[in-house]
Amino acid sequence: MRSHCRWPWRARDNVGTRKPCLRGTAGRPLPMISSGVFLDPSTWGHLDWVLLVVAAWLLIGVAGVFALHRLALVARVLFPVGGAFGLLLFGVALSAMVISPEVAVLPIGLPGLPFHLRLDSLSAFFLMIIGGVSAGVSAFAAGYFRTGEGTPPGLLALEYHVFLASMALVVLADDAYAFMVMWETMALSSFFLVTANHRIVEIQRAGYLYLLIAHVGAIGILLCFGILQANTGDYTFANMRSQAILPDRASLAFLLALFGFGAKAGIVPLHVWLPEAHPAAPSPVSALMSGVMLKTAIYGLLRVIFDLLGTPIWWWSLVLLAVGLATALFGVVFAAVQIDMKRLLAYSSIENIGLLFTGIGLGVLFATQNMPVMAALALTAVLYHVASHAFFKGLLFIGTGAVLHATLERNLGKLGGLIRYMPWVAWAMLIGVLASAGLPPFGGFVSEWLLLQSFLFSPDLPSSFLNMLIPVVAALIALVAALAGYTMVKFFGVIFLGQPREEKLAQAHDAGPWERIGMGWLVAGCLALGLFPVQFITLIDPVTQLLVGAGLARTVGANSWLLAPVAIERASYGPAIFLLGVAASFALAFLLVRLFYHGRLRRSPPWDCGFPWQNARMQDTAEGFGQPIRQIFEPFFRWERELPSAFDAAPRYRVSVTDPFWHWIYLPVAAVVERLAQLIGLLQQGRIALYLLYSFLTLIAVLLVVTL
């Protein structure tokens, strides 16, 4: 591993040779600035280019402050430039996947607490996700943001690009201090973005709920780092790696990390902010939060479990599997019954986060059983799904933004038939829907297929309980995948197919040029991840090598066009073969029609379910589509129905489904906190004599404690 002073805190002599780094206390490099280093990019490393992108994003944000109300400048210049730097970050991180780790020390923190940064294969992978998705979302944002968002456009640009920069620095941080500063910066900037339209009470409520849970989770992460430093006073990750922590303290650190990062990721029951924040935020912000920000929590969990804690303990895997399965099932069931576009996608994100936690749990299980190859397979599935979910969920969220701007509707019950008026958005969204449903030849299928392979083709484990558990978990994952496909059929069918349910939908307009560029880039990502799985697995092989000391590059590389993660005789998948088969089927059907029916035209009305006067009100609604799921999983819902009577002149049917965790956990906790606040408020009498008495009694109590 290379460990040297980095730009601009590295020194060179007059002939360009590198001078040795000066070392201060605790082996920390002393910052040194040399003239001319900035002017010679040929001497920069990958980390230097990443810092350049971060600095550029911050400068773009500052430029937004000086163009506070100039919408055209902000939308047509600042956001596209930010997207271009995201594309640069994507390229730099892509090339950094195979290099040795690079480190830097930035003297921008508190005295004696500089920022330690480290670029290794794990951080490079997540930087690639941040850069790739932000490039498409920023291009879309150039055509999305309009007046009336509630926040001046220049201020939105500042908050947006600070959000991007903080996410990049989170995955670069190499000490607890830098990590927590950037983590909180990420939370605060995203809070301001969520509450962009802050004049609406519901949006204010969603923003404060998100901020509350984010800060509670941050406390868990901070306590985790406090355990990992092992009373040394050195909060660098290098020091944490070198500590031999007792199993009970390591387990406590793991549980705190699970709580802290789980709150950010949205695991059950810490998920309640997610369905509230996503509908409140502008669609590009929702795309970044779901596609990218949630993945920073996955990064943090992987970094703590496999890097900082060292060897995991076997029962951690059971906790991760249980939490992941519960989250995935809860998310997909609630997604299936939603009637709000963005709320449906928010619950779908919860489902995908559950799958990621399940994969991490399986990786931990194999790592503790000395099965590094199987652990690498499980973590490869996790990383593949991280990338795939980032692209298709970002695509779906910005697609809903285009629909929202064109129709001013978010309710599925008031949409329909938009493929006639928004064909470009419809076909782009179809790609995202197919990827989200886990259908070939898209990236969502490859990641879920790899995850199932890691369950189904695992060797015998030493415990009979574990051997029984693995097939059960695999069956539940298959159920989740089936329900996810059901949900995506509902999502796309109700919005784009059938007849328009409102007259105003005929006035809907298609996406603009900038929006098409952003959606096209994310569509390309979904297709690339589906068509080139062997190449992508080879690319992320250094990440699994770093985490568990094994990879799949050699296995999958033996069959360049055919993906065989374990052995070709056991299971394989060829996306090229599948795509050629589908193309051949369409070509054969076309040729047969041309051969036997060319020139023979017969006009007749299409089949209309036996009712020739059917209208938009008679077609299936979002509520009706989700009724079977509501009936099957009725014990898990809290729902209210509004049924019409036979004498209603304007019959109305309404079903509302609420999250039971609100009533089981959050409302009781809120009631207790409110009662305690009322009791504490009784101390505020406004009389100085009582305040002096409180002080005197507190002083006596402290003296008694010290004496005893």
Side-chain angles (χ1 to χ4, degrees):
M1 181 183 72
R2 291 185 296 176
S3 180
H4 54 265
C5 296
R6 299 291 302 162
W7 170 86
W9 298 277
R10 62 185 178 190
R12 294 180 179 269
D13 59 19
N14 293 330
V15 295
T17 56
R18 189 186 306 272
K19 292 181 177 180
C21 295
L22 300 179
R23 297 284 171 179
T25 58
R28 294 172 180 166
L30 294 176
M32 299 183 61
I33 301 178
S34 66
S35 60
V37 172
F38 298 99
L39 304 178
D40 189 8
S42 63
T43 64
W44 295 1
H46 293 82
L47 183 54
D48 305 323
W49 286 100
V50 174
L51 294 177
L52 174 67
V53 173
V54 171
W57 277 338
L58 295 177
L59 289 176
I60 293 171
V62 173
V65 176
F66 291 97
L68 200 61
H69 296 283
R70 300 175 65 181
L71 177 61
L73 176 62
V74 172
R76 303 295 185 266
V77 177
L78 297 186
F79 277 104
V81 172
F85 277 102
L87 195 60
L88 174 61
L89 179 62
F90 175 79
V92 172
L94 190 65
S95 63
M97 293 287 293
V98 295
I99 67 168
S100 301
E102 298 180 3
V103 299
V105 179
L106 306 184
I108 58 176
L110 297 175
L113 289 174
F115 280 15
H116 294 76
L117 306 179
R118 186 172 188 261
L119 177 63
D120 56 16
S121 57
L122 180 61
S123 54
F125 172 79
F126 283 90
L127 285 173
M128 182 178 64
I129 302 300
I130 295 171
V133 177
S134 66
V137 174
S138 297
F140 179 87
Y144 175 87
F145 285 114
R146 296 163 170 82
T147 57
E149 295 289 344
T151 299
L155 193 56
L156 275 175
L158 171 65
E159 297 161 353
Y160 180 91
H161 290 95
V162 169
F163 182 44
L164 292 178
S166 60
M167 287 192 293
L169 290 175
V170 161
V171 302
L172 284 177
D174 199 35
D175 67 79
Y177 173 63
F179 187 95
M180 295 306 303
V181 169
M182 292 300 104
W183 189 265
E184 289 298 291
T185 304
M186 179 179 69
L188 287 173
S189 57
S190 56
F191 162 75
F192 289 118
L193 288 170
V194 168
T195 56
N197 202 355
H198 52 81
R199 296 180 178 88
I200 301 176
V201 177
E202 291 78 8
I203 292 179
Q204 295 177 10
R205 174 179 174 272
Y208 286 120
L209 175 64
Y210 163 62
L211 195 63
L212 173 63
I213 295 183
H215 284 321
V216 172
I219 294 174
I221 299 173
L222 186 61
L223 294 175
C224 171
F225 289 148
I227 295 174
L228 291 177
Q229 59 90 24
N231 297 324
T232 61
D234 187 353
Y235 285 87
T236 61
F237 288 173
N239 174 67
M240 296 179 186
R241 294 185 188 98
S242 64
Q243 301 301 319
I245 305 176
L246 296 175
D248 55 342
R249 294 179 63 85
S251 297
L252 180 59
F254 160 74
L255 293 175
L256 289 170
L258 177 62
F259 174 81
F261 293 117
K264 179 67 72 175
I267 63 172
V268 171
L270 304 172
H271 67 283
V272 293
W273 67 269
L274 228 151
E276 304 295 329
H278 282 311
S283 293
V285 177
S286 299
L288 284 180
M289 292 180 66
S290 180
V292 181
M293 188 190 72
L294 299 185
K295 309 308 185 303
T296 61
I298 302 299
Y299 162 81
L301 196 63
L302 291 174
R303 177 70 72 185
V304 169
I305 293 178
F306 293 100
D307 187 16
L308 303 184
L309 280 173
T311 304
I313 302 175
W314 70 271
W315 66 264
W316 297 359
S317 63
L318 302 184
V319 176
L320 289 167
L321 287 171
V323 170
L325 281 175
T327 301
L329 283 170
F330 178 89
V332 74
V333 168
F334 268 78
V337 300
Q338 297 303 311
I339 61 174
D340 185 287
M341 289 191 300
K342 299 183 74 175
R343 191 176 291 271
L344 184 150
L345 294 179
Y347 278 108
S348 174
S349 295
I350 295 174
E351 171 244 326
N352 284 277
I353 288 296
L355 292 179
L356 291 175
F357 272 71
T358 303
I360 295 173
L362 188 62
V364 171
L365 177 61
F366 289 138
T368 58
Q369 303 301 319
N370 197 23
M371 301 176 182
V373 176
M374 297 305 303
L377 174 59
L379 292 181
T380 298
V382 169
L383 296 172
Y384 213 113
H385 199 66
V386 164
S388 180
H389 179 259
F391 276 90
F392 73 67
K393 191 53 61 72
L395 174 61
L396 291 177
F397 265 115
I398 63 177
T400 59
V403 172
L404 180 60
H405 267 186
T407 64
L408 302 179
E409 285 291 347
R410 222 170 55 197
N411 192 327
L412 294 174
K414 298 182 179 181
L415 298 172
L418 289 180
I419 194 172
R420 299 177 179 87
Y421 313 110
M422 306 176 68
W424 213 98
V425 174
W427 287 105
M429 292 270 288
L430 180 61
I431 301 297
V433 164
L434 294 176
S436 180
L439 296 178
F442 303 102
F445 172 80
V446 179
S447 59
E448 294 186 8
W449 184 78
L450 287 173
L451 183 60
L452 284 174
Q453 299 308 309
S454 60
F455 278 99
L456 297 176
F457 297 109
S458 60
D460 292 336
L461 296 169
S463 172
S464 58
F465 171 75
L466 297 176
N467 284 321
M468 178 189 67
L469 179 66
I470 294 299
V472 173
V473 176
L476 292 176
I477 289 178
L479 174 63
V480 170
L483 291 175
Y486 173 92
T487 303
M488 289 297 110
V489 169
K490 167 187 172 179
F491 176 79
F492 185 84
V494 174
I495 296 175
F496 293 103
L497 304 182
Q499 301 181 35
R501 293 176 174 84
E502 299 283 339
E503 294 183 0
K504 65 179 181 180
L505 298 182
Q507 307 300 321
H509 56 85
D510 212 347
W514 281 110
E515 293 166 308
R516 296 186 183 187
I517 292 173
M519 297 179 74
W521 170 255
L522 297 179
V523 166
C526 294
L527 290 172
L529 288 170
L531 296 177
F532 305 103
V534 174
Q535 291 75 13
F536 191 76
I537 292 174
T538 304
L539 176 68
I540 63 179
D541 187 77
V543 185
T544 59
Q545 292 284 354
L546 173 68
L547 298 178
V548 293
L552 303 180
R554 181 176 299 180
T555 304
V556 301
N559 305 281
S560 59
W561 54 271
L562 194 63
L563 177 59
V566 180
I568 193 170
E569 64 271 9
R570 301 190 67 178
S572 62
Y573 167 62
I577 297 176
F578 178 85
L579 192 60
L580 289 175
V582 173
S585 300
F586 277 101
L588 180 62
F590 177 79
L591 291 175
L592 291 175
V593 170
R594 294 280 297 181
L595 180 63
F596 294 104
Y597 296 98
H598 181 66
R600 299 169 56 186
L601 182 63
R602 182 171 63 93
R603 297 186 180 274
S604 63
W607 184 64
D608 48 17
C609 304
F611 193 83
W613 301 283
Q614 188 177 18
N615 55 36
R617 292 196 59 188
M618 298 176 183
Q619 62 191 6
D620 203 3
T621 63
E623 293 91 343
F625 207 101
Q627 183 179 5
I629 301 300
R630 289 198 304 271
Q631 296 294 334
I632 295 172
F633 297 95
E634 184 175 1
F636 299 96
F637 297 128
R638 291 181 62 90
W639 51 321
E640 299 176 356
R641 296 183 193 173
E642 181 182 340
L643 299 175
S645 69
F647 304 98
D648 289 342
R652 173 183 171 89
Y653 173 76
R654 184 182 64 87
V655 177
S656 62
V657 178
T658 59
D659 194 331
F661 286 99
W662 277 108
H663 302 270
W664 295 346
I665 299 176
Y666 292 95
L667 292 181
V669 171
V672 171
V673 172
E674 184 177 4
R675 180 58 179 166
L676 290 175
Q678 292 175 352
L679 294 175
I680 295 173
L682 296 176
L683 299 176
Q684 298 177 332
Q685 301 291 330
R687 298 171 62 182
I688 188 64
L690 287 176
Y691 296 153
L692 293 174
L693 177 62
Y694 298 154
S695 302
F696 179 71
L697 294 176
T698 302
L699 180 60
I700 293 178
V702 171
L703 292 174
L704 288 174
V705 170
V706 172
T707 303
L708 296 177

